Amino acid sequence: MPEIVIVGGGIAGASLAYFLSQRGQGDVMLLEREAQPGQHATGRSAAVLVELDPIPTLSRLKIASAGFLRTPPPGFCEQPLLVRSGILLLFGEPIWSAVRAAALEIERAGVTTELLEPAQAAARVPVLQAAEMDGAIALPEDGHLDVHGLLSAYLAHARGRGVEVRCGADAVELRVEGGRCLGVRMQDGRSIDARWVINAAGAWAGQVARRAGAAPIEMVPHRRSIAVFSAPHNAATAGLASWPLVASDDHRIYFAPESGGFLLSPMDELPMAPCDARPDDHAIAEAVERLGVLAPALVPRTLRRKWAGLRTFAPDRVPVVGADPCVRGLFWLAGQGGCGIETSPILGQIAADLLIDGRTERFDARLLAPERFAHS
């Protein structure tokens, strides 16, 4: 009987398997219902590190993970996990004044930043219309993450230390008796016993918890669409490979260089049931229109491809990590929203600490605990 069964083989479950194995906990089984790990949210992410976040807890988690992503442990992976291509965040008033006022505090928190006037931002990315912003903040130490490299390394090292990874293994329900989770029941009827069962089921985490009678935390998946198009042939796009990812909440888009062209997202967030998400053509078309306002020289005639993923949020949009208050032996590692990849190093370590030691010194675990919703 494994000591710990992890339900879900995305970046959350993989990171926990890795950090448990690094702590000497090799008696772990990871169950992934798809044929390969990371097929849903993990494999469909735009995958960037953006340490600045309007939710302070998320920003702290990202900062705490950044060191691992920039400088992984020796032998962890063959290629760099982070390409410091930079992030450029555009702001209008009154948000721009608030960002400037908080700049010193942001730097003290450990985020390298540059405040830019509109003309300076347009000089960095020549397609931008300076009149469409009141200012910008650049994050030169952040940038693109190698999702496949990170997920593969987590799983390879976990396997090397004894973790059993099973793909095509659908845990249809948790076995709960007398208020305690005893294990999981598989689709073929077999049962797997465990002392701890980890709910790392991504968009399905809410369903898993409800069927087990766990704490009633509303976990809602939201669709996000992404499209890729070829770079228009004009002077403004010269040197585009060195451009940062550009995001504008006012225009509700972000775009970045991608395979000789560009990636574009409408930053859509449509609540929906867990599923194999498909892109929203209407949302993408509207994003192209908004791109025409912010960066008209980039507007594409056709799209190369498009896809969508689900980003699952708890009510306060902060991850849920910790033992369930209603069902003993059930542990949450869910609700990472769009930040699961960039926060996986610290969340995996926090979860491993809580499971092995019952506490952690890395972070205030109360900010993540399922109990925080008890009186909401």
Side-chain angles (χ1 to χ4, degrees), residues 10-312:
I11 202 74
S15 66
L16 176 57
Y18 168 76
F19 287 109
L20 285 171
S21 71
Q22 295 298 299
R23 292 286 309 272
Q25 184 70 54
D27 194 10
V28 177
M29 180 183 294
L30 184 150
L31 303 175
E32 168 53 49
R33 72 176 187 174
E34 304 294 352
Q36 60 184 15
Q39 181 170 319
H40 292 285
T42 298
R44 304 181 189 190
S45 170
V48 290
L49 171 64
V50 184
E51 293 173 277
L52 186 61
D53 196 286
I55 299 176
T57 300
L58 290 181
S59 194
R60 289 175 55 197
L61 290 169
K62 294 176 182 184
I63 294 167
S65 291
F68 184 100
L69 297 170
R70 292 189 183 111
T71 309
F76 180 77
C77 53
E78 295 182 358
Q79 303 295 330
L81 294 175
L82 173 68
V83 176
R84 301 183 196 190
S85 49
I87 305 294
L88 186 64
L89 306 175
L90 313 182
F91 299 98
E93 293 292 5
I95 303 300
W96 172 235
S97 291
V99 168
R100 285 190 300 176
L104 183 58
E105 182 180 348
I106 293 169
E107 287 277 356
R108 286 174 177 167
V111 182
T112 301
T113 62
E114 299 177 52
L115 297 181
L116 304 175
E117 294 301 319
Q120 294 173 307
R124 298 278 180 97
V125 181
V127 293
L128 292 174
Q129 299 293 294
E132 288 295 316
M133 69 189 93
D134 291 301
I137 188 166
L139 308 176
E141 296 299 310
D142 295 351
H144 181 73
L145 291 169
D146 180 354
V147 180
H148 177 73
L150 180 60
L151 180 66
S152 298
Y154 280 148
L155 292 173
H157 288 282
R159 284 187 177 106
R161 289 178 174 263
V163 173
E164 182 179 356
V165 178
R166 293 188 184 180
C167 292
D170 191 0
V172 294
E173 62 179 349
L174 307 188
R175 293 176 44 243
V176 178
E177 297 179 14
R180 179 169 186 82
C181 186
L182 303 177
V184 299
R185 183 170 290 107
M186 307 302 291
Q187 190 174 39
D188 61 8
R190 293 181 301 115
S191 291
I192 299 174
D193 298 332
R195 189 169 71 89
W196 281 106
V197 174
I198 314 303
N199 182 7
W204 286 265
Q207 290 185 355
V208 168
R210 281 193 298 274
R211 290 199 296 261
I217 303 171
E218 187 178 8
M219 307 294 286
V220 182
H222 293 70
R223 181 184 59 202
R224 172 140 300 181
S225 304
I226 295 176
V228 173
F229 59 91
S230 298
H233 297 291
N234 55 60
T237 58
L240 66 88
S242 64
W243 290 0
L245 178 144
V246 177
S248 171
D249 281 341
D250 285 355
H251 298 85
R252 300 194 323 281
I253 58 172
Y254 67 76
F255 65 88
E258 171 79 12
S259 304
F262 286 93
L263 173 152
L264 172 69
S265 174
M267 297 172 68
D268 50 327
E269 286 192 354
L270 180 68
M272 59 175 48
C275 64
D276 185 2
R278 294 291 182 263
D280 184 336
D281 290 339
H282 181 68
I284 291 172
E286 290 186 333
V288 171
E289 289 184 11
R290 298 195 294 273
L291 181 67
V293 175
L294 179 62
L298 284 191
V299 174
R301 294 182 179 177
T302 60
L303 302 177
R304 283 187 194 165
R305 58 191 178 98
K306 51 195 173 183
W307 70 90
L310 295 179
R311 306 156 80 240
T312 302

